[in-house]
Each structure stands twice: as structure tokens, then as C-alpha cells.
Amino acid sequence: MSEPETKKSEYLVEVKDLKEWFPVKTGWFHTTPLKAVDGVSFNIKAGETLGLVGESGCGKTTVGRTLLRLYEPTGGEFYFNGELVTEKNIHPLRKQMQMVFQDPYSSLNPRMTVEDIIGEPLDIHHLYSSRQERHDKIMHLMELVGLNAEHATRYAHEFSGGQRQRIGIARALAVDPKFIVCDEPVSALDVSIQAQVINMFEELQEKLGVAYLFIAHDLLVVRHISKRVAVMYLGRIVEIADTDDLYDHPIHPYTLSLLSAVPIPDPKTARASKRIILEGDVPSPLHMPSGCPFRTRCRYATEQCAKEAPALKDRGGNHFVACWNK
Amino acid sequence: MSENYSIPAPKKHPLSLQIDPALFEKATDEEKKQTDVMAESTTFFKDGMRRLRKNPLAVFSFWVLVVLIMIMLFAPMVVPYSYEEIITVEGVRDKGAANLAPFQYSAKEQAYMDKYGVRIFPHIMGTDELCRDYFIRVVYGTRVSFLVGIFASLMVLVIGTIYGAISGYFGGKVDLIMMRIVDIIYSLPDLLVIILLSVVFKETMDFSSVPVVGKLGTNMVSMFIVFGLLYWVGMARMVRGEIMGIKQNEYVLAAKSMGASGSRIIRRHILPNCLSVIIIMTAQEIPAAIFTESYLSFIGLGVALPMPSLGSLANAARSGMQSYPWKLVFPAASIVLIVLAFNLIGDAMRDAFDPKLKN
Ligand SMILES: Nc1ncnc2c1ncn2[C@@H]1O[C@H](COP(=O)(O)OP(=O)(O)OP(=O)(O)O)[C@@H](O)[C@H]1O
Ligand code: SF4
Ligand SMILES: [Mg+2]
């Protein structure tokens, strides 16, 4: 970048107080904001991975989509490479940010061949000068993600889930991005294939130096690949720390319960006695509890929790927690 | 079995399902890859055509239409009569050739044949009250019906698809307003409007100076316009509904996240995925248009005389129904055949290309 290096920061992705409220019709003339994402902040360095974990419906997908401006954010800022992302400068930036989607079936157009699917970002950003160059690039990408180049003329429905996800990854990589939002890229896949695909994500990161926001609903999946992990609950980040720190010394009651829900491979060492079972359901994001959003299911809840929402506070060693009592 | 292999198979009960592992060898990487993608590569179109060909009714209707089209195209070259002129024998108008039965000759023709020992081309469907060959008139009537059907449904296709695509793609307020307009048009009594419009066009428009189009006659052109203006709403609704569904797919979001423009998303992602619905709707629109054209011509609002149309032929035959029933039977049978064949093909296409719609 030849721009004046006034705001160069150490982070590739800086998200500050991101908010995404969807207006939901609740009556004839009433709309209530559904706070799918309510003040989320995090940073990612170039070539690193931030894992984003939380139950279904807590707003993980919405975070990813809002970053890529598939939704117009309600509030907050997103700096990419030190540059504030706005509606105006998003188009050229789309070459540097990509997304891998959750559902390998609905994320590939069934009427397009693999070649055209992977070539689409190239077409949009005019990244080739001849047909041959386009073809070569696509072949290279297919090889990169472990697809047989002979299958370029086939349609997506002819592939298995794991292969389709690879096609989706090749498409994301086509523009040589610096940052990819991976929205639960493995949760729709067989367990046996999950590991393969995650390993591929890691290898690609080593080779290409791309940064990931890696979304998952299960802590095990992200442990392997993430440098840092953020835990989300009802549109907010409740705990964010370096991966090992988070897994070894979880602080927030929600993180504790998530970790205790992770199946432990060796039953002898199982923390069965300490297992914390979450009671009740996630409250509807339309009717958020006052104060701490986790209050309705928290064993440590006190009066203060109902009055005031706890802010993320550093507990030392870059380990942030939003909780009054832990 | 065991003689074929160097490794002797262990003795086991003949009914045992136990498998001897020694008989197996490891799959090579290449073989493993082959199982990765197993289904034979087919495109959406090929697959649909294969199912269509398996449907006997569709195949039969297809051939019926092919035969009809052949007759339509080539009969005027073979048959020595014209649809608007009175039959002549030796250059003289044959006044006695009115209302002949099929394959019947008039007295003059019979005399001519006896005199020269030749055969005159038979009147396959007889003649009408103005001494014109009826077969050729029915053939021309069929031509008109086909033309109207195909052009009208093309107009519906273009207007309906574009309108529906815009409404469905943008959604929100745009969609709300566009769909209210559709609702208004939809709620108009079709036939009343068609009749009003065709009367208005008949009085006010003149296409005879426009090249190509002028040849078809003002009435026929206004007929296309009337159909186009009225029947696109059904298509627009279908396309919009389909697009609303397709829009939810992540591949559309993926294209947006890559920076694809709205028109690219419509062209590359949305339209190809509602193609089946569009094809099916168009195929079903053709018989509807043909039927309406016949209806209008029957009540005297269709194509202008002397150009025959199946509807106006049937109308003219009404008066002599008792004495010359075949004059009603031929055009009526022709309408039925065409509409039925198109409808059967349309339904078969729906089943072949979009099994979801079948119910
Ligand atoms: N376009 C939208 N309009 C209205 N509400 C929405 C929209 N998208 C998401 N939501 C709501 O926002 C909340 C968060 O949804 P989101 O898809 O981000 O959750 P998630 O964490 O990705 O869940 P999952 O694990 O199931 O994918 C949900 O309550 C959802 O109903
Ligand atoms: S702030 Fe209170 S309710 Fe929220 S997690 Fe901490 S203890 Fe539980
Ligand atoms: Mg999600």
C-alpha cells in the first residue's frame, strides 16, 4: 500500500463496538430492534486466527456478515489494515476479505460448474487478461485445496459435502485475500472429514499468510486452529483470551459451562463431578434480560448482575472477561 | 473359487459370510479418487430432457405438434388453392363449388377431369360457402393460432420475467408497490379488458406501414399487445416468488460478498435457478393464448377477414351446423389438438424439470 502510513496499526482487523440490530415487526406499527450483535470488539493480526464460539443464535454469523457488509452495521467501526471500512470503499476491499459459508450445499450455485464458481471473484474483479490465465488460476486453486482438476467442468451437486466446502474455500482464495471469515465451515460435515478440512485451513494459512475469523459453536473445533478465542453470548463477547489460557483457565461462567459440555476423550480423566449443566434456554434476543445477558442462567448471579451489564475487563495476560462475580 | 488365487482360502462353512481378507488388495490412490465423484456428470438441462423423453404422453404430443407444424409450413406449397380466392376451373370461377363435402368435386371439376382424364387436387375438408378450399383455410387458421400463441407467450415471458425479477430481487418497498400493481391487473376481468382493448386498438392503431409487423394485420398485432399487457402478471408473480426463495441461498450472499453487482447476481445466479419455472410457465402460456385468440375470433374480435383463424372459421360454421357439420368439426378439432398437445407438453415439462411443483 502506497498510502500515507499515518494510521498503520499492528492489527489487520480491528473491530470496535460493532452493533447490528435488525428491526423486527412486533405489531402493526411497532418494530423492536433485535440486537443480534450488540457492541462487539476484537482485533486480529495478519496471518492469525481468532476463534469465535457460542451457542446457536448468539449472533456469530451476523458478526461475520456485518464485517463483509452483507448487512449494514447499526453502529461501531471496522478498520481493515488501518483503514476505516465504509459503504464507499468496500468494493475494492472485497478483494482482500472473503467468506466461507456454513452450508456447503446452499453456498454453491447448482447451475454453475466448479470452474465458474471458483472463477467468479476473478470475473468480478477482472483479475486476468486472457481465458488461459483464468483457467490456469482456477486449476492452481483447485490443486491448492486438494480437488481433482479434471472435475472443473462438473456441477457442484456432484460433489460430497467435504469437497463442496473445498470448492467454497478455493472460491474465497481466488482473489488472494488477507482475511477470511469462516462461518462454521465444518459443522455441516462428517466428523471424519472435519479434521481434514480444518487441517487444510491451517496449511493454507501457513502457505498464504491469511488471517481467519473462525466461527464455530463448539470449543474443540477452534482450539486447534486459533491463536485467540472469543466466546459470545447473546450478541456480546463475554470472554476473550489466548487459546491455551482460555482452555486452561476459563473464568466466565458461560465459558466454564461450554467447556464442561465438551466431550472428553478419556472417561477416566473426565471432570464428571465438576460438570456444569446449563439450565434453561437462551433468552430471545428480542427480550434481553437487563444487566448481564447471561444472568437468567448463571449460578453466580447477584443483584448487581440484574442492574448493570459488566464490561470486558483485562484480568491480566490479555485475558478479558465480562463478569461481576468471577 | 480358490483355485484362481495363489492364496488358499481357509476352510469355512459354505453359508458363512466371513470374508477372507487375503483376497483383497489395497486400493490405489487413483482408485480412491475415482470413488470421490461417482455420479455421471449431467447438466440440469440434460437431466430434464432425459425425464421428458421418458414420458410417453409428452413424446406423443411432441410428434403431434411436429406433424401439425409440418402441415402448416408445407401444405400451402403443395395445395394449389389459396385461402382467399374462389376455386377456378380453366380460369373461370366455379360458382357451383360451394359447401362441398370432404373429397367431393363440384360438377364443373368433375366434367374437367372427365374431359382431360386428369385428377384435380381433392378438397380434403371440402369447401366453404364462398367456394374456397376449406383445408387451406384451416391450415392458415392454424398458422395464425400458432403465431399468436408463440408471440404472446414470448411477450409474457419477457415482460413477466423482467418485472418479477426486479420486484423479487429488490424486495421491500419496491416489491410492495410492484406487486400491488400486479394485484390490480390480476383482479381485472380478463375478457372484458381484452375485448375493450382490442376494440380500442382496432379503431386507433394502424400498423400497416410498419414493415414485417404490418403484414400480420393490425388485429393480430393488437392481439399480441393485449395478451402481453394482461397475461404477464401470472408470470411476474411466479418469477418473483421463486426469486424470493432463491435469494435466501448462501450462494447469492457469497456473490454479494465478492462484490457482484445486482444485475450480475440476477443474470448469473437468480435467473438460471428459476429457469425451470420460466420454461414451464411459458409452455403453459402458449395454449392459453391460443385458446383466447380462438375465443376472440369466435366472437368476431380476432384477426381481420379474409385472414382465417380457427375461431372465426368455427363461428362462420355455426350457421350451417346442421347441414355441414364438418365445417365446425375441423377447426374445432384443430384447436383441441393444439391446445391439448401444448398442455400435455407443458405439464410433462413441469414434471421433468421441476418435480417439486407437481401436486
Ligand atoms: N436478516 C435477519 N433479520 C432478522 N433477524 C436476524 C437476521 N439474521 C439473523 N437474525 C437473528 O439474529 C440472531 C443471531 O443470528 P445468527 O445467525 O447470527 O446466529 P448464529 O450464532 O450464527 O447461529 P447459528 O449457530 O445457528 O448459525 C438470531 O436470533 C437470528 O434470528
Ligand atoms: S455478571 Fe453476574 S450473571 Fe453475568 S456471568 Fe457474571 S455472575 Fe453471572
Ligand atoms: Mg451461523
Side-chain angles (χ1 to χ4, degrees), chain B residues 25-329:
Chain B
E25 58 179 282
K26 278 194 172 171
T28 61
D29 279 345
E30 205 171 310
E31 282 166 326
K32 278 185 194 159
K33 269 220 171 109
Q34 277 172 2
T35 60
D36 279 358
V37 174
M38 287 192 303
E40 203 201 321
S41 180
T42 60
T43 66
F44 153 75
F45 187 72
K46 270 196 232 159
D47 202 39
M49 287 311 280
R50 186 181 51 79
R51 261 175 290 176
L52 197 58
R53 270 198 297 271
K54 273 195 190 157
N55 185 334
L57 266 179
V59 174
F60 181 72
S61 308
F62 173 77
W63 287 113
V64 167
L65 285 181
V66 167
V67 169
L68 280 176
I69 290 171
M70 288 306 198
I71 294 177
M72 234 167 59
L73 290 179
F74 298 112
M77 299 178 195
V78 178
V79 181
Y81 307 113
S82 131
Y83 70 87
E84 51 186 349
E85 273 167 37
I86 291 176
I87 292 162
T88 54
V89 178
E90 289 186 280
V92 181
R93 287 183 169 185
D94 182 4
K95 292 266 166 58
N99 295 327
L100 295 177
F103 292 100
Q104 193 190 7
Y105 290 105
S106 71
K108 264 195 186 163
E109 283 172 327
Q110 198 63 52
Y112 176 82
M113 283 197 295
D114 292 343
K115 187 170 156 198
Y116 296 102
V118 290
R119 272 183 61 86
I120 291 180
F121 198 88
H123 306 296
I124 298 172
M125 295 180 183
T127 59
D128 68 359
E129 71 282 353
L130 293 177
C131 315
R132 295 175 292 200
D133 184 72
Y134 205 54
F135 174 66
I136 201 74
R137 286 187 67 74
V138 171
V139 166
Y140 270 89
T142 315
R143 272 188 167 189
V144 169
S145 291
F146 261 85
L147 268 183
V148 172
I150 286 165
F151 274 98
S153 55
L154 278 183
M155 264 183 85
V156 167
L157 173 80
V158 172
I159 302 177
T161 307
I162 293 175
Y163 194 95
I166 293 172
S167 176
Y169 179 76
F170 290 104
K173 288 222 168 62
V174 178
D175 177 53
L176 193 79
I177 294 169
M178 289 178 87
M179 279 303 119
R180 286 303 83 75
I181 296 175
V182 163
D183 287 345
I184 292 170
I185 298 180
Y186 210 79
S187 65
L188 296 175
D190 314 6
L191 280 172
L192 184 68
V193 176
I194 290 181
I195 292 168
L196 282 175
L197 282 178
S198 37
V199 171
V200 169
F201 285 144
K202 205 172 185 172
E203 301 302 325
T204 57
M205 300 232 185
D206 183 16
F207 295 100
S208 50
S209 53
V210 189
V212 195
V213 185
K215 266 197 165 164
L216 294 172
T218 301
N219 262 22
M220 205 128 125
V221 177
S222 56
M223 193 106 53
F224 297 153
I225 296 176
V226 169
F227 287 131
L229 286 181
L230 269 179
Y231 285 129
W232 61 270
V233 286
M235 177 71 105
R237 270 188 171 178
M238 274 300 267
V239 170
R240 169 197 171 261
E242 193 75 355
I243 286 177
M244 286 286 188
I246 292 169
K247 235 175 38 172
Q248 304 301 322
N249 280 313
E250 282 183 344
Y251 58 79
V252 174
L253 278 178
K256 269 191 201 154
S257 78
M258 285 181 258
S261 64
S263 91
R264 184 187 170 88
I265 290 175
I266 291 184
R267 273 183 296 115
R268 299 283 321 222
H269 296 281
I270 291 179
L271 285 185
N273 281 288
C274 52
L275 203 62
S276 50
V277 168
I278 295 175
I279 294 174
I280 293 159
M281 281 293 283
T282 309
Q284 292 177 338
E285 209 67 57
I286 295 175
I290 290 179
F291 194 78
T292 314
E293 183 276 326
S294 303
Y295 176 90
L296 283 185
S297 298
F298 186 81
I299 58 174
L301 288 168
V303 298
L305 294 172
M307 180 61 98
S309 130
L310 293 178
S312 58
L313 288 176
N315 184 35
R318 227 166 17 118
S319 48
M321 209 157 75
Q322 256 110 28
S323 348
Y324 321 110
W326 62 86
K327 289 211 286 182
L328 186 58
V329 168

Side-chain angles (χ1 to χ4, degrees), chain A residues 56-57 59-62 65 102 183-184 215, chain B residues 250:
Chain A
S56 187
K60 308 177 298 288
T61 301
T62 310
R65 291 187 178 171
Q102 180 167 359
D183 185 7
E184 304 200 31
I215 300 172
Chain B
E250 282 183 344

Side-chain angles (χ1 to χ4, degrees), chain A residues 20-37:
Chain A
E20 180 62 61
W21 298 355
F22 295 112
V24 173
K25 270 220 158 85
T26 45
W28 276 87
F29 300 105
H30 288 279
T31 53
T32 314
L34 186 155
K35 301 181 178 178
V37 176

Side-chain angles (χ1 to χ4, degrees), chain A residues 107-164:
Chain A
S107 62
L108 305 179
N109 186 340
R111 303 274 187 269
M112 276 165 96
T113 60
V114 173
E115 185 167 2
D116 284 341
I117 290 172
I118 300 177
E120 180 159 40
L122 300 174
D123 297 340
I124 292 171
H125 294 286
H126 311 290
L127 292 177
Y128 52 86
S129 47
S130 64
R131 283 261 126 201
Q132 188 57 42
E133 192 185 339
R134 177 179 188 268
H135 182 77
D136 291 345
K137 277 193 173 171
I138 292 165
M139 290 302 126
H140 172 71
L141 285 163
M142 289 183 76
E143 212 171 290
L144 200 63
V145 297
L147 286 168
N148 187 346
E150 283 164 31
H151 296 155
T153 53
R154 293 189 171 235
Y155 288 81
H157 66 87
E158 299 170 45
F159 293 85
S160 66
Q163 288 171 318
R164 287 165 148 260

